[in-house]
Amino acid sequence: MNFIPYKTKKVFIRIENNDLTTLYSDRSGLRFLNSVSGYIFENINGINTFEDIVEHMKSIYPTVDDMTLTNDTLNCLYSLKTMKFINWKDGSEMNTNTSVSSLAVEVAGERDYSMISKYILRNYKNNLNNNYLVNIPIGNKSYYTDISLRTRQFNLNEIHFFTKKNNQITSLVSIIGFDSSLQTVNIGVVICEKINMEYLKINLLGIEELLKNNEKKKIKLNLIANNFNEGLIELFCAIGYEFEANLEKEVNGSDLLIYKKIIQ
């Protein structure tokens, strides 16, 4: 993936004193970029390739891991293209299959939130369906709109990881607490059809690899009793999760079952 982004015409650009960049065009209106997005935009000149821009970002943020910088740069470029401030050469579309690992697990970005929101809402009542493995912990559909997903992921409060086949989602897992200084994270949403169980395993193991590289030590899965298919526990236990606790009547009178895995 080494396309060349370039700025579109008739875009007003102004660098503010507080490290914000102001962009304006007749088609997109007024937008503000934070310092990171501003650095990326500054390096778009029709000559620098995507890889050149990532290398520049590495020099500015040497302590940030390569995968995070690559994904952040890609997502920023896609957002700028969506807002019509840039385009790119050498292909009408980017190869957006950025992977957490060699297992081809994708981290949700700007282009994915609508698709993920629809996928969650489509499976909202499949938690007890024997053909699915589903855990959707929040009983409020507005929590899973594309705007809500985008806001939480932008703040690193909840990050979504997915696998695909033939451009269709085959598994989805979200991680809560990735940005915390704590060494424990929690699994939020889990969705896949049983026929795609191997994709879910790939997803979970790819996430585990990422968490290990970011010095996380423990993953927890919280399940509301009688609100999930038993096959979900069987799958998690098969890849090393263990029962930790049963908090009686913790959630609206229902028990909360807690499973854990130590990352080694």
Side-chain angles (χ1 to χ4, degrees):
M1 175 170 53
N2 207 21
F3 56 91
I4 302 173
Y6 61 90
K7 296 168 184 172
T8 54
K9 296 180 180 179
K10 297 183 179 180
V11 176
F12 169 79
I13 305 166
R14 185 175 67 197
I15 309 300
E16 311 290 353
N17 292 332
N18 53 1
D19 285 336
L20 290 178
T21 298
T22 298
L23 301 182
Y24 176 82
S25 73
D26 290 338
R27 286 197 294 178
S28 301
L30 187 66
R31 303 283 178 166
F32 297 98
L33 305 182
N34 62 23
S35 59
V36 176
S37 298
Y39 289 140
I40 294 172
F41 188 76
E42 183 180 346
N43 278 271
I44 298 173
N45 57 11
I47 298 173
N48 288 338
T49 65
F50 169 71
E51 293 177 0
D52 291 335
I53 296 171
V54 171
E55 288 301 315
H56 176 74
M57 297 305 290
K58 289 179 184 178
S59 69
I60 298 176
Y61 301 101
T63 61
V64 180
D65 66 271
D66 290 358
M67 188 211 70
T68 298
L69 281 174
T70 300
N71 281 327
D72 285 353
T73 302
L74 182 62
N75 289 332
C76 177
L77 291 174
Y78 206 96
S79 296
L80 289 168
K81 182 178 184 294
T82 300
M83 292 185 287
K84 311 296 184 184
F85 289 122
I86 69 167
N87 210 326
W88 45 77
K89 304 175 184 178
D90 297 337
S92 60
E93 288 294 337
M94 292 189 268
N95 175 10
T96 57
N97 186 28
T98 53
S99 299
V100 173
S101 69
S102 59
L103 296 175
V105 178
E106 299 190 46
V107 183
E110 181 66 31
R111 63 202 176 277
D112 304 313
Y113 299 123
S114 177
M115 174 183 65
I116 290 173
S117 174
K118 292 176 182 177
Y119 183 72
I120 294 173
L121 296 177
R122 191 166 63 244
N123 289 283
Y124 204 75
K125 295 184 178 181
N126 281 333
N127 53 311
L128 296 177
N129 187 323
N130 288 329
N131 295 318
Y132 290 82
L133 301 177
V134 174
N135 180 49
I136 300 178
I138 305 298
N140 184 343
K141 289 186 178 181
S142 64
Y143 190 79
Y144 298 110
T145 64
D146 55 344
I147 294 175
S148 296
L149 297 178
R150 179 185 291 109
T151 300
R152 292 199 299 279
Q153 182 139 330
F154 181 79
N155 294 314
L156 296 180
N157 294 328
E158 184 175 21
I159 301 178
H160 294 79
F161 303 85
F162 61 96
T163 56
K164 288 197 300 185
K165 180 180 180 181
N166 298 328
N167 211 35
Q168 298 293 318
I169 296 178
T170 53
S171 73
L172 176 69
V173 178
S174 72
I175 295 294
I176 301 168
F178 186 86
D179 64 327
S180 171
S181 60
L182 301 177
Q183 294 182 325
T184 298
V185 299
N186 289 279
I187 291 175
V189 170
V190 179
I191 303 175
C192 86
E193 290 188 66
K194 276 192 174 180
I195 59 173
N196 291 322
M197 284 178 59
E198 290 304 314
Y199 284 95
L200 180 56
K201 288 181 182 178
I202 288 172
N203 200 345
L204 290 166
L205 293 173
I207 291 170
E208 186 177 326
E209 178 184 320
L210 172 63
L211 294 174
K212 181 178 180 180
N213 290 339
N214 284 273
E215 300 182 345
K216 300 299 183 181
K217 303 297 183 184
K218 183 178 180 181
I219 314 174
K220 295 175 70 174
L221 172 68
N222 302 316
L223 299 171
I224 300 173
N226 303 317
N227 196 41
F228 58 89
N229 189 301
E230 288 296 328
L232 189 64
I233 291 181
E234 293 173 5
L235 183 142
F236 274 86
C237 289
I239 60 172
Y241 283 74
E242 300 176 342
F243 178 75
E244 182 177 52
N246 179 5
L247 305 182
E248 295 184 0
K249 300 181 179 181
E250 181 73 12
V251 181
N252 298 323
S254 297
D255 293 357
L256 184 67
L257 309 179
I258 302 175
Y259 289 78
K260 68 176 181 180
K261 183 173 184 180
I262 304 301
I263 302 174
Q264 299 177 339

